[in-house]
Amino acid sequence: MTPLDRRSVLRQLARAAALGAAGAAASACGEDSPHASMPAPTAKPVDTGSAPSFPSGAHAASGNVGNGPEPLPLPADLPLQVTSGPPDRPRVALTFHGQGDPRIADSLLGLLEAAGARGTVLAVGTWLDEQPRMARRVLAGGHELGNHTMHHGDISSMSADRTYAEITDCADRLKRLTGSIGRWFRPSQAKDCTPTVLAQARRAGYAHCLGYDLDSLDFTDPGAAAVGHTVLNGVRPGSVVSLHFGHPGTVAAMPAILDGLRTRGLRAVTMSELVT
């Protein structure tokens, strides 16, 4: 398939998904936007079937198992809080807050896969309760899956015990659905971990907290053109981009984002691949 054909296919998939999902309930990072629900065509999803079961204790705290890629060993000198990757490699990480309408999530994952790109999804625990198939869907597409707390509250203002519960409750869902708590933890309603949050994340089994250095602001629903401009105007080698499921504008913006990365010689990879 030529680059022109690939761009055409991606735009057609995004247009169909965004139009169909425009009335779906959208959930931003820290705020919800109510919309009427309607059926939505999506990019072709991976057939994941039902969630697998694992024996008690069969989890790998350092990465994903089951249908996901084998976890890559992380550098020994990786900081506790990771906000970007090496600036001398042509790679970026598209990270998604995992919450909201699963049809939009399916569409975004399908667009990434059609372009040969991979992402990292930080799932909210309540979303995993509502949409358990999405955990396996993420891994089956070759993406990474991590922890974005149980209820997506203001974790920076919580006590140590409440923080620990928010992290471990989500980790328990991830382990039950995939056999692993995932490698990455991202704090909710915060860009970086406070010392308390970092300590509780490490206590829960996460060696690193995941931030970002480029906020797409897609959760404000500024429109596809604005989302694409923000990402492509700010992206650099090593960038970690914050994006969200649950927003049709993100779906509509994704073909231009992926095409723009390609023309800049940048490849969208998982967080583990970005930093190794």
Side-chain angles (χ1 to χ4, degrees), residues 193-204:
C193 288
T194 65
T196 296
V197 174
L198 181 59
Q200 297 310 310
R202 289 175 62 80
R203 177 185 170 199

Side-chain angles (χ1 to χ4, degrees), residues 51-52 54 128 131-132 135-136 172-179:
F54 294 87
L128 294 174
Q131 308 294 338
R136 189 174 176 188
D172 288 344
R173 270 71 177 176
L174 290 166
K175 179 182 174 182
R176 185 173 69 245
L177 292 170
T178 71

Side-chain angles (χ1 to χ4, degrees), residues 177-268:
L177 292 170
T178 71
S180 168
I181 67 171
R183 168 170 280 165
W184 303 102
F185 166 73
R186 171 169 282 169
S188 51
Q189 298 193 37
K191 181 180 178 181
D192 300 308
C193 288
T194 65
T196 296
V197 174
L198 181 59
Q200 297 310 310
R202 289 175 62 80
R203 177 185 170 199
Y206 294 95
H208 305 279
C209 285
L210 178 57
Y212 51 87
D213 62 350
L214 177 54
D215 191 347
S216 71
L217 300 176
D218 60 342
F219 66 91
T220 65
D221 295 317
V227 173
H229 176 78
T230 297
V231 172
L232 294 176
N233 190 53
V235 73
R236 301 289 186 274
S239 285
V240 176
V241 186
S242 172
L243 294 150
H244 294 72
F245 289 166
H247 296 266
T250 308
V251 180
M254 193 51 58
I257 291 172
L258 294 170
D259 189 45
L261 293 177
R262 184 189 62 79
T263 59
R264 289 162 169 78
L266 297 174
R267 187 161 60 97

